[in-house]
Amino acid sequence: MTTIEIHQKLQEAFGDAVGPLGQPKVDPFAVVKGDRIVEICAWLKKTPGIEIDFLQDLTAVDWPKRNVIEVVYHLFSFPHRHGIVLKVELDRANPVVHTVEGVWKAANWLEREVYDLFGVVFTGHPDLRRVMLPDDWVGHPLRKDYQEAGGFHGIPNLRENPLVELRRIDLVRIAEHQKANPPPPPPPPAPPPAAAPAAGTPPAPSTPPAAPKA
């Protein structure tokens, strides 16, 4: 079944709770009403011929200028090899939507990640707490207006240029190699050349040739 056909069946079943099908560059998507998301997901999973049995991903996008946070559901059916993307638009000041963990267990940690990094509250979630950052972390780092607080419990958040760090590692390795493999000692110096005779000094007498034997 194509995405267009899945979308048509969704609109037949849920009417104006399902928005028009968008045509982005990659995956078509439909915006659905947040208060119907669990019902819609359960219908997609159980309806014969559709049977969306896999929550590929659940993520979010922050739109400060629109005052909206989108929760994005990437859905797929292994039996039928088809899928669809759904989006729920939430008030950025109070982003709340019901969990779909009861439909797909994989939503448990995915929703915790979105809660951690975007601040979206999933009502009904059995264990909604941070999954990547400490419990006492302030703010949600994937919001567009997030400002770092200058460190965490004495741990700085400043990082030097990675090229500087790589160069430092190279220099340490070079020094260790040179220490383990010192260069051979230099060869002994060559003897100095013989001094030239001083001016006016008669040459040393030469040895006369031996007389021939009789």
Side-chain angles (χ1 to χ4, degrees), residues 87-203:
K87 294 185 179 183
V88 171
E89 295 183 345
L90 304 177
D91 179 6
R92 194 171 183 273
N94 184 32
V96 178
V97 68
H98 203 281
T99 179
V100 295
E101 193 263 353
V103 181
W104 300 289
K105 289 297 181 182
N108 190 304
W109 278 35
L110 296 173
E111 289 177 344
R112 285 179 59 188
E113 182 180 0
V114 172
Y115 165 73
D116 192 357
L117 301 179
F118 290 90
V120 176
V121 174
F122 295 90
T123 58
H125 192 286
D127 186 25
L128 191 62
R129 56 192 172 93
R130 290 187 184 270
V131 68
M132 300 182 73
L133 298 171
D135 291 337
D136 57 346
W137 190 273
V138 178
H140 305 284
L142 289 189
R143 288 205 179 198
K144 300 289 179 60
D145 56 357
Y146 175 75
Q147 298 291 327
E148 297 210 25
F152 179 75
H153 294 298
I155 302 173
N157 61 348
L158 299 177
R159 302 291 184 270
E160 66 177 338
N161 186 324
L163 296 179
V164 175
E165 175 64 12
L166 291 174
R167 177 59 179 164
R168 184 190 66 79
I169 294 173
D170 285 344
L171 292 176
V172 170
R173 289 176 177 173
I174 291 172
E176 291 174 348
H177 178 78
Q178 292 176 341
K179 183 177 180 181
N181 302 277
T201 303

Side-chain angles (χ1 to χ4, degrees), residues 4-29:
I4 294 175
E5 291 170 335
I6 297 173
H7 178 258
Q8 288 173 345
K9 290 186 176 296
L10 274 174
Q11 287 191 319
E12 291 171 3
F14 296 96
D16 61 1
V18 178
L21 192 65
Q23 297 292 337
K25 294 181 179 180
V26 183
D27 297 317
F29 66 89

Side-chain angles (χ1 to χ4, degrees), residues 66-87:
R66 293 168 50 197
N67 197 32
V68 164
I69 288 182
E70 290 179 340
V71 179
V72 187
Y73 304 79
H74 292 261
L75 311 177
F76 186 77
S77 169
F78 277 109
H80 302 292
R81 312 300 294 177
H82 61 213
I84 191 170
V85 176
L86 303 180
K87 294 185 179 183

